[in-house]
């Protein structure tokens, strides 16, 4: 008989089930979902900004944020007199993206109802999503920048990232590279540290610009030319 007990063993038998139900309950309100979707653009928002996005009163927003905080879905950062809210991490963004995919699923062939501009290019927390991101991912697989399962950059891929100026973290605290299921395209785009590095490059080069208050991003004229050249795409 083992004399050692894990932390989980010391919890009540239904601890995990209750914890999951609390998180599910926190996600059950449309206003809280609106708040979380706004935070999917990777930026920190004030409660006032979030109340405007969700279309609810400031006092109501405060209650929703407290619920999301208590369940570990968002974090709060204080800077001077201001408080900023953001998603608690990449794992929460992944959870929301997967939830979107499940919510859109039907047994028949789905008819896309996502706005065209959002479906084409948007943020998925700190990396690029949408039709454009899927095409870039397909190119990287075809040109063997990525391993066949998409879980790592190849030596050639790392070299290509360095050549274009995308800075990779040598010791990432999360997955260095991973396929992320795109909920509107139902195919993969690039996630992980590599996906973040690529979107950061696009923003720094002003190849894409954010749309204030939304997840949508716009591809600039110089961006269309550069992205077309780098990834052999026709973006005209």
């Amino acid at each position: 008989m083992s004399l050692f007990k894990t932390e989980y063993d010391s919890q009540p038998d239904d601890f995990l089930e209750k914890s999951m139900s609390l998180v599910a309950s926190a996600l059950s309100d449309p206003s809280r979902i609106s708040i979380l979707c706004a935070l999917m653009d990777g930026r920190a928002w004030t409660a006032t900004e979030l109340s405007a996005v969700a279309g609810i009163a400031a006092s109501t927003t405060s209650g929703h944020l407290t619920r999301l905080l208590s369940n570990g879905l968002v974090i709060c950062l204080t800077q001077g007199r201001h408080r900023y809210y953001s998603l608690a991490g990449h794992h929460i963004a992944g959870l929301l993206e997967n939830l979107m995919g499940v919510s859109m699923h039907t047994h028949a062939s789905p008819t896309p109802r996502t706005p065209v501009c959002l479906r084409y290019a948007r943020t998925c927390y700190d990396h690029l999503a949408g039709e454009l991101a899927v095409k870039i991912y397909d190119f990287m697989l075809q040109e063997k920048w990525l391993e066949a399962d998409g879980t790592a950059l190849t030596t050639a891929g790392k070299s290509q990232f360095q050549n274009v100026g995308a800075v990779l973290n040598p010791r990432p605290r999360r997955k260095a590279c991973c396929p992320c299921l795109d909920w509107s395209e139902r195919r993969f785009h690039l996630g992980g540290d590599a996906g973040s590095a690529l979107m950061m490059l696009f923003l720094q080069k002003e190849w894409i610009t954010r749309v204030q208050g939304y997840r949508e991003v716009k591809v600039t004229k110089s961006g269309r030319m550069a992205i077309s050249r780098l990834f052999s795409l026709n973006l005209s």
Side-chain angles (χ1 to χ4, degrees):
M1 182 176 67
S2 173
L3 298 178
F4 297 98
K5 225 178 178 185
T6 66
E7 182 178 354
Y8 181 77
D9 289 334
S10 65
Q11 302 286 359
D13 291 341
D14 60 351
F15 173 77
L16 179 59
E17 290 84 352
K18 286 185 176 179
S19 297
M20 290 176 66
S21 67
L22 286 172
V23 172
S25 178
L27 292 170
S28 66
D29 186 272
S31 295
R32 288 196 287 274
I33 290 293
S34 295
I35 290 171
L36 291 170
C37 286
L39 295 176
M40 280 285 283
D41 74 349
R43 290 176 285 191
W45 294 55
T46 65
T48 301
E49 292 169 333
L50 291 170
S51 67
V53 169
I56 54 179
S59 57
T60 307
T61 303
S62 178
H64 286 312
L65 287 170
T66 298
R67 183 77 174 273
L68 295 173
L69 280 165
S70 65
N71 284 278
L73 296 171
V74 302
I75 57 174
C76 179
L77 305 172
T78 302
Q79 187 170 345
R81 294 183 299 171
H82 300 286
R83 303 180 75 190
Y84 296 91
Y85 297 87
S86 62
L87 291 183
H90 308 92
H91 60 299
I92 302 301
L95 171 66
L96 294 171
E97 194 78 3
N98 288 335
L99 182 59
M100 291 173 187
V102 172
S103 301
M104 293 283 287
H105 178 74
T106 59
H107 294 290
S109 297
T111 301
R113 289 172 295 189
T114 311
V116 174
C117 57
L118 194 63
R119 180 171 179 171
Y120 181 68
R122 64 182 183 274
T123 57
C124 178
Y125 195 49
D126 64 351
H127 57 270
L128 194 65
E131 180 186 342
L132 176 60
V134 167
K135 287 181 177 180
I136 291 173
Y137 183 85
D138 287 345
F139 170 86
M140 290 182 174
L141 279 177
Q142 181 180 335
E143 296 300 313
K144 295 183 169 50
W145 290 23
L146 298 171
E147 298 290 350
D149 60 2
T151 58
L153 288 171
T154 62
T155 301
K158 291 177 182 177
S159 177
Q160 292 291 349
F161 264 58
Q162 185 176 17
N163 290 341
V164 301
V167 181
L168 296 169
N169 187 340
R171 294 182 178 178
R173 302 178 66 179
R174 55 172 166 157
K175 291 181 180 179
C177 181
C178 66
C180 183
L181 184 62
D182 196 287
W183 64 266
S184 62
E185 296 301 304
R186 311 300 177 87
R187 292 156 63 197
F188 292 116
H189 59 248
L190 184 64
D193 182 64
S196 176
L198 197 64
M199 192 176 85
M200 184 61 67
L201 172 71
F202 287 5
L203 288 169
Q204 290 174 343
K205 295 283 190 181
E206 296 184 348
W207 293 346
I208 60 173
T209 57
R210 294 179 183 270
V211 177
Q212 184 64 36
Y214 298 92
R215 292 177 63 192
E216 174 193 351
V217 298
K218 292 187 177 296
V219 183
T220 64
K221 182 178 180 180
S222 62
R224 286 197 299 272
M225 294 174 60
I227 294 171
S228 295
R229 174 176 53 82
L230 288 173
F231 305 106
S232 299
L233 301 177
N234 181 6
L235 303 187
S236 59

